[in-house]
Amino acid sequence: MSGEEDWNKKVEDEVVHQEKVNDWDRKVDQVEKELEWESKVEEAEVQVEKELDWDRKVDQVEKELAWESKVEEAEVQVEKELDWDRKVDQVEKELAWESKVEEAEVLVEKELAWDRKVDQVEKELVWESKVEEAEVQIEKENEWDRKVDQVEKQLAWELKVDEAEKQIERETDWDRRVDEAEKKLEQEVGSS
């Protein structure tokens, strides 16, 4: 082999080697980009969780405000009914219909109305309790879903890491073979 051919062979080997180095650098850049993307995904998940927590707090405040509004409406209704009762009593007094039987009927009606109001409040309290239990159950299910998602993401990540390690091992083995071939070629060239 002439000196020019030997030089050309070395140049070709260097070009091939440089191409392998460039290909390896591109693969390393790809892995780094995937790791950076995973980090951004995790940050986005944390942000979403914060927003969901904020939404739950806003919902809770809205429910409390709605309940306070219902209480105020009930108080207004009670006041209207009391005012009506006072007007009825006034009319009865003015018309002189104040017999004991009529007074007893009015008293019974008031007690019945009070009993109905008590029953209504008890029903609303029972409903509120059921709503709270449902919210607790939903929160537990959401927590479980988040844990399942986390496990799935961890398993997927471990699979990607295993695949990357296998790829690196194949490329390392290939590099060793190339190095051995180059050494063998150099020995053959040196012995010729």
Side-chain angles (χ1 to χ4, degrees):
M1 181 179 291
S2 67
E4 182 179 354
E5 289 176 343
D6 184 50
W7 171 255
N8 289 339
K9 178 61 177 172
K10 287 182 179 181
V11 169
E12 288 175 359
D13 290 345
E14 181 61 27
V15 169
V16 170
H17 177 70
Q18 187 60 42
E19 182 59 30
K20 288 178 183 178
V21 170
N22 291 341
D23 185 57
W24 175 254
D25 288 341
R26 285 192 294 273
K27 290 177 181 178
V28 170
D29 288 341
Q30 181 63 27
V31 170
E32 289 176 347
K33 288 177 182 176
E34 289 178 359
L35 292 174
E36 182 179 358
W37 172 251
E38 288 288 332
S39 175
K40 289 181 179 178
V41 169
E42 290 175 355
E43 291 173 359
E45 289 172 348
V46 170
Q47 183 62 28
V48 168
E49 181 59 29
K50 288 180 181 178
E51 292 174 358
L52 289 175
D53 186 58
W54 173 253
D55 289 344
R56 286 193 291 271
K57 291 178 181 178
V58 170
D59 288 343
Q60 182 62 28
V61 171
E62 288 176 349
K63 288 175 184 176
E64 291 176 0
L65 291 175
W67 172 251
E68 291 175 1
S69 176
K70 288 181 181 179
V71 170
E72 290 174 357
E73 290 173 0
E75 290 173 348
V76 170
Q77 184 62 29
V78 169
E79 184 58 34
K80 288 180 180 177
E81 290 174 2
L82 290 175
D83 186 60
W84 173 254
D85 290 342
R86 286 192 294 271
K87 289 178 181 178
V88 170
D89 290 341
Q90 183 61 31
V91 170
E92 287 176 347
K93 288 176 183 178
E94 290 174 356
L95 296 175
W97 293 347
E98 299 177 355
S99 69
K100 291 181 180 180
V101 172
E102 289 173 345
E103 289 173 356
E105 289 175 348
V106 170
L107 181 58
V108 168
E109 183 58 33
K110 287 181 180 179
E111 290 176 355
L112 290 175
W114 175 255
D115 289 342
R116 286 191 295 270
K117 290 175 186 176
V118 169
D119 288 342
Q120 182 62 28
V121 170
E122 288 176 349
K123 288 176 183 177
E124 290 177 357
L125 290 174
V126 169
W127 172 251
E128 288 289 331
S129 176
K130 289 181 179 178
V131 169
E132 290 174 356
E133 290 173 359
E135 290 173 347
V136 169
Q137 183 62 29
I138 289 170
E139 182 60 31
K140 288 180 181 177
E141 292 173 0
N142 288 339
E143 181 64 23
W144 174 253
D145 289 345
R146 287 193 292 272
K147 289 180 180 178
V148 169
D149 288 343
Q150 183 62 31
V151 170
E152 289 175 349
K153 288 174 184 173
Q154 181 65 30
L155 290 175
W157 172 249
E158 290 175 0
L159 182 60
K160 287 183 181 179
V161 171
D162 288 342
E163 290 173 357
E165 289 174 349
K166 289 177 182 177
Q167 182 62 27
I168 290 170
E169 181 62 29
R170 286 194 293 269
E171 291 172 358
T172 301
D173 183 63
W174 173 254
D175 289 343
R176 282 197 300 270
R177 290 182 184 178
V178 170
D179 289 341
E180 289 172 2
E182 288 176 348
K183 289 178 181 177
K184 186 176 182 181
L185 184 60
E186 287 174 359
Q187 290 174 356
E188 291 175 358
V189 170
S191 63
S192 64

